[in-house]
Amino acid sequence: MHYEILVEGQCELTALSIIMSRILGEYAAENTWKIHKHQGVGKIPDDVSNVNPNDRSLLGQLPAKIRAYNSIDDESRAVVVLLDLDGNDKDEVMSSLEGLIPEDSNLKIEFCFAIEELEAWFLGDQNAIQLAYPNTDNTVVRAYVQDSICGTWETLARAVLSNVTSLPKRDRRVLMEKCEWAKRIPPFMDIDANLSPSFQSFKDSLLGLAA
């Protein structure tokens, strides 16, 4: 199976570049993949038939990309869309996404979520955080309720004693720090023991498409 994986930005690209082979095996042994990063999540256009080519966000480009993938008759290709759920209602978001799939489509596509954010996947493996950041404040990690809507990146920042918690989420310094977490923590993650339900759902979606 070949996977086209659509993600919001660099942090997801960095993390998945490390994790994918741990889920699907060595690249090109049985499966291949390409991870496409975007400039943030954006929103689904009001007119999905008229996508703004200058909008490089994931949702801004998604209607056009789904149409393009759907036009390719290839049973060995699957599309996986990974989004941070943030504080949105999962059922409502899923309904909007599924509404982008053309009727009678044979496209293999899965919509997956990191709940609340990608950092929930890292917080699902306390040992990985400890190995990546030996001075981790484990009281913060243990107090975290998995996949809760609680300010997930701020929780991880406090756990690893980062000084970016006072900055806005979109501040460049925060994005750089989040990319550093995405580089340092995933190499230590035990993908089968991860406590994040949304991570396990993502893993199961990939494996289900490969079956």
Side-chain angles (χ1 to χ4, degrees):
M1 182 67 68
H2 175 72
Y3 295 81
E4 301 284 355
I5 304 177
L6 312 183
V7 301
E8 294 183 23
Q10 183 62 51
C11 297
E12 292 80 7
L13 172 61
T14 299
L16 292 190
S17 295
I18 298 168
I19 292 170
M20 287 295 295
S21 62
R22 311 259 291 281
I23 298 174
L24 294 174
E26 182 181 354
Y27 183 87
E30 294 185 4
N31 303 291
T32 59
W33 52 86
K34 185 172 183 179
I35 306 168
H36 305 267
K37 72 173 182 178
H38 297 77
Q39 295 179 2
V41 61
K43 68 182 187 69
I44 297 173
D46 294 332
D47 181 359
V48 297
S49 64
N50 186 25
V51 171
N52 180 0
N54 295 319
D55 183 351
R56 308 310 303 167
S57 69
L58 175 51
L59 292 180
Q61 286 292 307
L62 190 58
K65 290 194 172 185
I66 287 179
R67 286 195 297 272
Y69 288 130
N70 187 65
S71 68
I72 303 171
D73 186 14
D74 185 355
E75 293 185 356
S76 66
R77 181 189 302 268
V79 178
V80 177
V81 181
L82 174 62
L83 300 165
D84 286 356
L85 190 62
D86 295 319
N88 299 310
D89 182 85
K90 182 179 179 180
D91 292 338
E92 290 183 2
V93 175
M94 182 66 80
S95 178
S96 297
L97 295 172
E98 291 176 341
L100 300 176
I101 303 172
E103 292 184 11
D104 302 321
S105 172
N106 293 319
L107 180 65
K108 294 179 179 178
I109 185 167
E110 290 283 344
F111 300 110
C112 300
F113 302 98
I115 303 174
E116 167 188 24
E117 300 168 307
L118 183 69
E119 288 75 27
W121 294 5
F122 306 154
L123 286 162
D125 193 327
Q126 181 177 344
N127 186 58
I129 297 173
Q130 183 71 56
L131 290 170
Y133 293 90
N135 294 324
T136 292
D137 184 346
N138 288 316
T139 60
V140 174
V141 179
R142 287 194 292 267
Y144 170 70
V145 177
Q146 195 62 58
D147 282 18
S148 58
I149 309 300
C150 64
T152 308
W153 75 265
E154 295 95 333
T155 298
L156 182 57
R158 290 193 298 273
V160 300
L161 309 180
S162 173
N163 61 0
V164 298
T165 53
S166 63
L167 300 173
K169 179 180 179 179
R170 299 302 178 188
D171 188 288
R172 179 171 177 79
R173 289 165 291 180
V174 174
L175 296 178
M176 290 176 63
E177 183 78 349
K178 287 161 71 79
C179 286
E180 185 68 14
W181 301 335
K183 179 174 68 176
R184 292 179 59 172
I185 298 173
F188 297 109
M189 287 170 58
D190 182 339
I191 63 167
D192 294 320
N194 194 289
L195 297 178
S196 167
S198 60
F199 175 78
Q200 293 300 332
S201 178
F202 173 74
K203 182 188 74 173
D204 291 345
S205 292
L206 293 180
L207 294 173
L209 288 166

